Amino acid sequence: MLPRSVLLLLFALVFRTTLVLGQADPFQVPKKGFASWLPAPAWEHALLSGNGAMGAMVMGNPHDETIILNQAQLYLPATEPKPPIDQASRLAEIRALILQGKYEEAAKIPVEQSLKEGYGGHLWSNPYVPAFDVRMRLESSNVQKYARMVDFETGEAKVVWTDQHGTYTRSVFVSRPDSAVVISLKGTGKINGRISFARRPVEWQQWEQINKTIENVDIAAQGQWLTYRSGYKKRWPGSLQGYEGVGRVEVKGGSARTQGSEVVVQKADEVLVFIKINASYDYATSQVEQLKQHLSGLPAEYAALVARHRRVHGELFNRVQLDLGGSGAQEPLFSETMNQVAQHDKVSPAIIQTQFDAARYHIISATGINPPNLQGIWGGTWTPPWSADFTHDGNVEVAISALLTSRTPELLVAYFDYHDKRLPFYRDNARKMFGTRGIHVPSHTSSHGWDNHFDPVWCLSLWTGGAGWTASFYHDYWLHTRDRKFLRERAYPFMKEAAQFYEDFLTQGPDGKYVFNPSYSPENNPANSNSQASINATMDVMLAKQLLRNCVAAAQELNTDKAQVRKWRQMLSRMPAYELDEAGALKEWLWPGLQNNHQHRHVSHLYSLYDQVDPDFKNNPQLLAGARKVIEEKMKFRYRENGGEMVFGLAQMAFVTANLEDAATTAQLIDWLARYYWTNGLATYHNPGNLFNLDLSGGYPSVIMRALVYSEPGLVKLLPAKPQAWETGSISGLLLRGGVTVENMAWSKDEVTAVLKASQKQEIMVQAPKGMSLVSGGKTAGQKVNLPAGKEVRLVFRANL
């Protein structure tokens, strides 16, 4: 037996380790989260944290760490905003060429007009760029044990390692309540190292843009403060002029001093760094003192700060809980292992659960000042793909697609704020480009809302569907929340302006039906045409019909605009009918001679099935069969690609198959989504293993939730497209249309229980899971269920014998 003195010493060491690290085993994987066994090989694989205003990307090198910081407003002023071209003056010419089938000639006219007006060629939206790096260099030592991890509930990205000096934990999170990046470094040994801010490295081919756009970068350290200021060369009224970041360094034990632009730390027990970054629209008036004042108010207590953040962020994250029977089934896999297993073996329920949680975590963390852009709120390059902007012909819509169903409607307000601020730009677009009243939302935006992005091939100046698609989210917010004030003051006014555009834009053909000319089906061209310019794209018709129906419904709910309602109903009666091609597939263009092109990543002509099953389809078996034929053809294309590029197209197809109750195809699509589109930081890609992109982070949980529950006002379908492999499971916290919440739903082979609660008293139809009947909780005749306001109703379904 060991002497008492030795036992006491061992106890003291263990106790000190517990106190210092805050937990008995710092390498323990969070219950809701994941671990990685390697530092990030590139910024795309970094661990992510964010509060919707700032983002942090943690690379994970123990002794030479880089933490890339981002700020939601940092769109580099590379291209001066130019008012929309006077396309309206050439619209008759464009329309005439399109009616003659001269689509490529029509697409050249906007480009020709832009050159006349001094555009000088193709204009991109201003790119989203990183703010700066935090560098933390420690004394080197052989690493004996290592892990990096993310806790989805606390928002922390941690790096834990053991070397010859001790076991250390470096934790990073971005606080919502305290509006700061918080970094903590502590361990069982002393801390010796240097902390500084640094410019994100510039690759050789990026220097031309950097030299044209960035006027100065000033990095400094004084006392306990680190500062980073960067001003921009190109400025115009209202433009971003630069940004400033301030860091406060607190050292517990040991000492700290400044040397050049670094803080040198010696023999510390703990180091805390608090950072805030502000965009500047008046760079001559520095915000540094204001930022210092804000950071000085934060307590130098990491545990208190992370607890405050957890109460806000964790509450958002935990509103939805998914269990596919994978919880605790096996030792958690490292993210690198998880991705390898998913790609080469069977995708287990445990993997799907972790991916579901990771995707929701990233979208929540990216949403705040703005909705998620193409990269959420993160990025590590000065030249991001597609400028990492807001792409409104599919990308943004998929990124935000889970926010309502996952019961986080307050996050969707960032999307509405973004668009409402740009309404003056959208009105200019409609007037100058199409000669109409109302609004036109372009395909690409970042720092402004003018429609500047098009060329002869990607003829996006001819796309008219942006405002209608945007308006659908305003209306869907009302359907989910039943917030009548929002409907009256925000949704209906936006919808009316979107409808005004169509009132002026649409022309009637010889048969009395409306003609959509010009038209555009993102980003496809007919099989027998080389041009994306077209006429009567089915998606355009679907968008206009949905918008007008929603306007009618909103006006009736608000008891207003009766004359306008009559006009909208008349417009609906003049819409062209949907058609099937010779093979029975729904046509993507409703115009004689234009042929379907199934060899393409988009499924735009299935728009009416993305969110709900449109009444035109619900009541028409032939159209439903035509949509299924399109899916069949698109799946042939996707099988050849093994999923293939542009993951948001896969997600949209899965929205459709789930809504059509096609469980087998939905399962195949989820399988592809789970296998090939995840970084080692469990963020998502645009293509298999390539192009950091957050579209799927929104689309993945949305697909899974739609496979488990479908909703319309007055109708709920349970397990409409549940993959067969998910034999048992549960989900809780979903928000459905009609203001109904799924408090909990659990299923097994023989029984399904669902607990529903409504914000307002109502009677709904509940469609039983396939092969089951309602045995408790509702009217078995027709499966109608009465939902009292604010009270839970428990439904039980059992397998038919």
Side-chain angles (χ1 to χ4, degrees), residues 389-445:
D389 66 10
F390 298 93
T391 304
H392 302 288
D393 65 357
N395 302 75
V396 179
E397 291 81 4
V398 172
I400 64 173
S401 63
L403 292 178
L404 289 172
T405 313
S406 61
R407 206 161 47 95
T408 53
E410 65 267 51
L411 294 181
L412 194 58
V413 173
Y415 178 77
F416 305 136
D417 290 345
Y418 181 89
H419 285 292
D420 285 353
K421 289 174 185 174
R422 286 160 177 75
L423 280 170
F425 294 100
Y426 298 162
R427 292 174 186 132
D428 287 346
N429 293 336
R431 178 176 52 84
K432 291 270 290 181
M433 300 183 73
F434 297 97
T436 71
R437 297 169 299 149
I439 54 177
H440 164 65
V441 176
S443 59
H444 291 262
T445 63

Side-chain angles (χ1 to χ4, degrees), residues 34 44-46 152 335-340 342-343 347 351-363 647 669-702 704:
F34 71 94
E44 292 89 342
H45 296 279
F152 299 145
S335 59
E336 295 88 353
T337 311
M338 188 185 307
N339 287 337
Q340 290 174 6
Q343 290 172 25
V347 180
I351 290 176
I352 290 175
Q353 281 177 220
T354 302
Q355 291 173 335
F356 178 90
D357 288 341
R360 288 194 58 245
Y361 165 77
H362 289 136
I363 291 297
V647 73
L669 290 164
I670 291 173
D671 186 72
W672 280 329
L673 298 176
R675 287 183 186 274
Y676 303 117
Y677 302 91
W678 300 85
T679 75
N680 291 344
L682 291 195
T684 47
Y685 288 123
H686 184 274
N687 296 336
N690 184 254
L691 294 178
F692 181 95
N693 176 274
L694 266 286
D695 299 346
L696 181 60
S697 292
Y700 192 74
S702 190
I704 289 170

Side-chain angles (χ1 to χ4, degrees), residues 759-778:
S759 58
Q760 300 170 359
K761 180 181 177 181
Q762 57 189 286
E763 183 179 73
I764 65 171
M765 289 285 293
V766 178
Q767 178 178 298
K770 293 180 178 67
M772 291 192 170
S773 299
L774 180 66
V775 298
S776 175

Side-chain angles (χ1 to χ4, degrees), residues 153-154 177 303-316:
E153 295 180 287
T154 66
L305 291 168
V306 77
R308 286 212 293 246
H309 178 61
R310 179 175 186 155
R311 282 194 291 272
V312 179
H313 166 90
E315 193 277 330
L316 288 168

Side-chain angles (χ1 to χ4, degrees), residues 126 207 246 257 309 314 616 637:
N126 288 321
W207 274 114
V246 171
R257 59 184 172 82
H309 178 61
D616 288 329
F637 168 65

Side-chain angles (χ1 to χ4, degrees), residues 104 190 202 383 396 500 570 614:
E104 290 179 275
K190 296 294 184 179
V202 180
T383 51
V396 179
Q500 278 182 341
Q570 185 182 52
D614 184 279

Side-chain angles (χ1 to χ4, degrees), residues 243-285:
Y243 61 96
E244 296 172 297
V246 171
R248 167 190 161 201
V249 181
E250 290 285 343
V251 175
K252 296 185 178 182
S255 63
R257 59 184 172 82
T258 57
Q259 185 177 67
S261 60
E262 298 180 315
V263 173
V264 180
V265 176
Q266 292 180 308
K267 297 182 179 180
D269 296 319
E270 181 181 5
V271 177
L272 292 166
V273 186
F274 311 110
I275 303 167
K276 185 170 174 59
I277 304 166
N278 273 8
S280 176
Y281 294 87
D282 179 14
Y283 192 69
T285 304

Side-chain angles (χ1 to χ4, degrees), residues 116 123 338 354 357 364 409 496 641:
K116 285 184 179 179
L123 299 183
M338 188 185 307
T354 302
D357 288 341
I364 289 169
K496 281 181 68 176
E641 303 266 321

